Amino acid sequence: MILFSEPKFDLDLQLINRRYKDLQKVIHPDLFNNSEETEKGAAEELSTHVNEAYFTLRNEIQRANYLLKLQGEEVLEEGHSITDPLLIMEIMEVRENISMANSDEDLDKLRAENQTKKSELLREFQTYFSAKEVDEAKQTLVKLSYYSKILEEIQNREESLKEAFAEG
């Protein structure tokens, strides 16, 4: 493990930031400008791996997915889809509410509701993963990924409303 010692979901992100910066002070490719090509290449490769690890750990969804990959589970690979009919209905309803929102207040309410749901799911994932309940953790991660996308959709709707307001 590059930036942490044991696979766990709940991480000290400040510690991860410090470890990342400390590593980059030693391995950043710019430090090897006057070195042999093999050393430069190795520094670039190592720096790339550290960057990927850092951004994976900083993103809750990517971190959860990575932890499940360590368990041999592929969850959020291309083409994954929802099979839970209740979740499908829930997501469709939220998306309909987003498309019908016509004010910042409407979107703020949807954002707050969604953020609450996402926080609950993050706690659930952490509980399931810590208890080694992999199937439940996988199901929770799928839900988390959809609720994260909903936050993006709220942001997009907000931008489209601002553009429409600016135009006329």
Side-chain angles (χ1 to χ4, degrees):
M1 306 289 169
I2 294 175
L3 296 172
F4 66 97
S5 57
E6 65 180 271
K8 62 181 184 173
F9 183 71
D10 187 28
L11 298 176
D12 179 349
L13 293 180
Q14 290 180 343
L15 177 61
I16 298 295
N17 284 335
R18 280 195 308 273
R19 286 184 178 170
Y20 171 74
K21 289 176 184 173
D22 289 345
L23 277 170
Q24 286 296 359
K25 288 177 187 174
V26 177
I27 64 164
H28 196 278
D30 289 348
L31 299 171
F32 294 85
N33 281 337
N34 297 326
S35 300
E36 297 291 322
E37 286 301 316
T38 54
E39 287 179 353
K40 281 186 200 178
E44 287 174 4
E45 187 174 333
L46 186 55
S47 183
T48 297
H49 289 302
V50 169
N51 286 336
E52 289 171 0
Y54 176 71
F55 289 109
T56 296
L57 294 176
R58 297 226 9 107
N59 180 293
E60 298 154 329
I61 305 298
Q62 290 179 19
R63 180 169 67 236
N65 194 47
Y66 175 74
L67 289 170
L68 288 174
K69 277 185 181 180
L70 291 176
Q71 304 290 324
E73 302 293 336
E74 299 291 327
V75 180
L76 299 182
E77 300 309 311
E78 283 297 316
H80 84 282
S81 60
I82 307 175
T83 56
D84 178 354
L86 293 175
L87 179 59
I88 292 170
M89 293 301 295
E90 193 175 323
I91 298 298
M92 287 175 59
E93 183 179 329
V94 172
R95 286 183 170 153
E96 183 178 343
N97 290 338
I98 293 169
S99 69
M100 293 173 49
N102 290 316
S103 68
D104 287 341
E105 293 80 22
D106 293 342
L107 291 170
D108 288 343
K109 181 180 176 203
L110 290 168
R111 185 180 291 108
E113 290 169 358
N114 189 70
Q115 191 59 51
T116 298
K117 181 69 174 177
K118 185 178 172 195
S119 295
E120 291 169 5
L121 290 168
L122 285 167
R123 283 190 296 277
E124 278 182 37
F125 179 86
Q126 182 173 340
T127 300
Y128 290 138
F129 185 79
S130 297
K132 299 189 182 344
E133 296 178 23
V134 175
D135 288 336
E136 290 82 358
K138 286 169 51 177
Q139 293 171 8
T140 304
L141 178 55
V142 169
K143 292 177 186 177
L144 264 169
S145 72
Y146 279 93
Y147 277 94
S148 291
K149 290 175 188 171
I150 286 173
L151 282 174
E152 293 172 18
E153 291 175 27
I154 291 170
Q155 182 68 33
N156 291 340
R157 177 69 176 154
E158 191 172 54
E159 290 170 8
S160 68
L161 285 176
K162 286 180 183 177
E163 288 174 9
F165 181 75
E167 291 174 1

